[in-house]
Structure formats: C-alpha cells, structure tokens
C-alpha cells in the first residue's frame, strides 16, 4: 500500500473514531431508564418501548465494537503491521481497506 493511501485511511479512521466516541457519549446521555412494568401505559406501548430500548442498546454495542476494531487497526498502523494479514502474511487489498479500514484479514482468510 502506498503512503498516500495509508495516510488517507488513517485520517478516515481517526475521524470515525471521534464520531463514534461522540455518538457513544450521546447514547449514554440519551439512555432512558428501563420501562417499569407497573406503569399505566398499555401493553402494546410497553412492548414498543422495550423494543426501542433494546434496539438502542444494540446500536450502542455495534458502535462500541466498531470503535474497538478501529482502535486496533490504528494500533496495527503504529506497529507497522497494518494492511498485512496475520494468517497468511499477504497484503490486504487496498480496495478492501478503503471499504472496511478496520479489516484485520485479507479476503481469502476472512
């Protein structure tokens, strides 16, 4: 991978890390307390509320996982192993990294 591509990927990943950190923090602030089952709302409203809470939790988990993967990719970049598949030792295609910069494996090994 050429230096310009690596720099572009690093800038994109760092921007994505910042965005994810902001979204994770906002998600913590916006988190509603669990819906009480003793409330006066109807059964369907309660189910809808619980479903929305679960969807918000899942979205937060996905953000945290992506953040972790991006941080690992940035660490590999610092170590000089970014873009190299740890399984086969081959180079991960630049197209793959442009699409998914946190990809740890080449297409053949994944």
């Amino acid at each position: 991978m050429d230096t310009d591509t690596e720099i572009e990927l690093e800038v994109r990943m760092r921007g994505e890390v910042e965005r994810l950190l902001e979204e994770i923090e906002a998600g913590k602030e916006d988190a509603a307390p669990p819906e009480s089952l003793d409330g006066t709302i109807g059964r369907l409203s309660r189910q809808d509320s619980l479903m929305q809470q679960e969807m918000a939790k899942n979205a937060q988990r996905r953000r945290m996982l992506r953040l972790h993967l991006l941080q690992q990719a940035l660490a590999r970049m610092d170590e000089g192993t970014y873009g190299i598949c740890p399984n086969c030792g081959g180079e991960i295609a630049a197209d793959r990294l442009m699409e998914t910069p946190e990809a740890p494996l080449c297409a053949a090994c994944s």
Side-chain angles (χ1 to χ4, degrees):
M1 173 179 355
D2 66 6
T3 306
D4 290 340
T5 304
E6 191 169 333
I7 290 170
E8 179 183 347
L9 285 167
E10 182 177 5
V11 168
R12 283 180 47 203
M13 284 192 288
R14 291 194 186 283
E16 184 69 6
V17 164
E18 286 181 30
R19 186 187 67 78
L20 286 168
L21 287 170
E22 289 171 3
E23 286 182 9
I24 289 168
E25 193 58 37
K28 287 178 185 175
E29 293 170 3
D30 295 340
E35 192 65 46
S36 169
L37 297 178
D38 298 331
T40 59
I41 63 174
R43 181 176 57 86
L44 292 177
S45 296
R46 187 177 307 116
Q47 286 177 336
D48 184 52
S49 177
L50 291 171
M51 184 177 72
Q52 286 184 9
Q53 287 176 3
E54 194 58 36
M55 288 172 33
K57 287 179 195 176
N58 286 335
Q60 192 76 329
R61 281 188 214 109
R62 286 191 307 273
R63 282 186 207 104
M64 293 177 77
L65 175 62
R66 179 111 198 272
L67 174 64
H68 178 70
L69 294 172
L70 285 166
Q71 289 172 330
Q72 285 182 330
L74 287 166
R76 287 192 306 274
M77 204 173 258
D78 290 341
E79 295 166 358
T81 59
Y82 182 75
I84 299 170
C85 179
N87 285 357
C88 68
E91 188 173 320
I92 301 173
D95 292 343
R96 178 171 171 77
L97 292 172
M98 291 301 275
E99 182 69 30
T100 311
E102 68 272 18
L105 304 172
C106 67
C109 290
S110 66

